[in-house]
Amino acid sequence: MSRILIVEDEVAIADLEKDYLELSGFEVEIENDGTSGLARALAEEFDLFILDLMLPGIDGFEICKQIREKKNTPILMVSAKKDDIDKIRGLGLGADDYVTKPFSPSELVARVKAHLARYERLIGSNTVENDIIEIRGIKIDKTARRVWVNGEEKQFTTKEFDLLTFLAENPNHVFTKEELFREIWDMESIGDIATVTVHIKKIREKIEMNTAKPQYIETIWGVGYRFKL
């Protein structure tokens, strides 16, 4: 099911858009101000964005610009402003379409479906499928070097990502700190195995609900660590 984020400060319009899109089988989330809308757009995975132009906090132009700097997800801009200059600016910032209010909800649904179909054709024909690891709510994209925990993207340093990925690729295997240090840092662990402990702690803070009772990376006392399936 495709997931759509609507950023619209007029509650009645946002609810109407949501109703029509949900009737067409989409999962829809709403944010009513630009600041929270931008935060969710960058932090979470959506298949399409519908952005109002005039928003409190951050306007639709800036949201579009920042999304496009990081993602290729389709963007539809919606506005009561009919000036060509606004359409040109929105499309120039990377929006895929510009819809002028008032509009027919069924027209919006048709445009959403068309852009999603086009995007799926593009990524299906022009990109190689990413190497993905998925284990109990954790999704690791090895190709893009990105990690999501229960749908929320988390930021990892290079070594944190490498260590998490290595453990997840070898589930239920117990590794000593020395083995992990050699594998990830590519050198003998001469007095540096504390580095492993520090990185495990940082990874747990990002993926575990309760770091005192980890459900993913388990400490095997006196031996090392293992990633539990």
Side-chain angles (χ1 to χ4, degrees):
M1 179 185 295
S2 295
R3 191 165 180 247
I4 297 171
L5 176 64
I6 297 172
V7 188
E8 168 66 69
D9 63 327
E10 294 186 56
V11 175
I13 292 178
D15 288 342
L16 180 64
E17 293 172 354
K18 180 178 180 180
D19 289 344
Y20 271 80
L21 289 165
E22 286 183 337
L23 285 172
S24 297
F26 298 107
E27 178 184 344
V28 182
E29 301 287 338
I30 294 175
E31 290 296 336
N32 297 122
D33 70 86
T35 303
S36 59
L38 176 60
R40 290 196 69 182
L42 296 181
E44 300 180 35
E45 287 298 296
F46 292 95
D47 298 290
L48 183 139
F49 300 104
I50 299 175
L51 308 178
D52 185 31
L53 183 55
M54 305 304 292
L55 292 164
I58 301 174
D59 67 27
F61 288 132
E62 182 62 24
I63 295 173
C64 178
K65 176 176 176 289
Q66 292 199 36
I67 290 174
R68 193 52 80 227
E69 287 173 354
K70 297 180 180 297
K71 302 182 179 186
N72 292 318
T73 309
I75 299 172
L76 272 67
M77 300 196 79
V78 176
S79 177
K81 301 181 74 172
K82 300 179 181 180
D83 296 339
D84 285 344
I85 189 65
D86 293 309
K87 295 180 182 180
I88 292 169
R89 184 182 176 194
L91 296 171
L93 288 171
D96 296 276
D97 206 348
Y98 190 106
V99 184
T100 304
K101 298 177 183 176
F103 54 84
S104 162
S106 58
E107 177 192 354
L108 179 70
V109 172
R111 291 189 184 218
V112 166
K113 289 180 177 179
H115 283 290
L116 284 172
R118 177 176 175 273
Y119 183 63
E120 287 170 4
R121 287 196 301 271
L122 284 173
I123 63 174
S125 60
N126 294 333
T127 62
V128 177
E129 185 175 346
N130 284 13
D131 190 357
I132 304 290
I133 303 170
E134 292 193 66
I135 301 176
R136 293 188 294 114
I138 291 183
K139 177 181 176 181
I140 303 171
D141 185 335
K142 292 177 60 182
T143 307
R145 295 183 69 84
R146 299 170 69 186
V147 179
W148 292 265
V149 180
N150 296 321
E152 180 181 356
E153 186 168 5
K154 303 287 187 176
Q155 300 301 316
F156 288 77
T157 66
T158 299
K159 292 304 183 185
E160 287 170 3
F161 181 88
D162 292 343
L163 181 55
L164 173 63
T165 301
F166 178 72
L167 289 168
E169 286 183 316
N170 296 277
N172 292 331
H173 184 109
V174 179
F175 292 96
T176 66
K177 294 176 184 178
E178 290 82 3
E179 288 173 331
L180 292 172
F181 192 88
R182 285 196 300 271
E183 181 67 33
I184 304 304
W185 281 265
D186 193 27
M187 63 182 75
E188 292 297 321
S189 54
I190 305 172
D192 288 322
I193 58 172
T195 300
V196 174
T197 304
V198 171
H199 278 72
I200 291 289
K201 179 177 181 294
K202 290 180 178 178
I203 292 170
R204 282 175 172 163
E205 289 171 353
K206 297 173 183 179
I207 69 172
E208 302 284 3
M209 291 288 291
N210 182 356
T211 56
K213 296 180 179 179
Q215 61 173 320
Y216 295 109
I217 299 178
E218 182 181 23
T219 299
I220 308 300
W221 295 105
V223 183
Y225 302 99
R226 72 175 175 187
F227 193 102
K228 295 190 295 183
L229 274 180

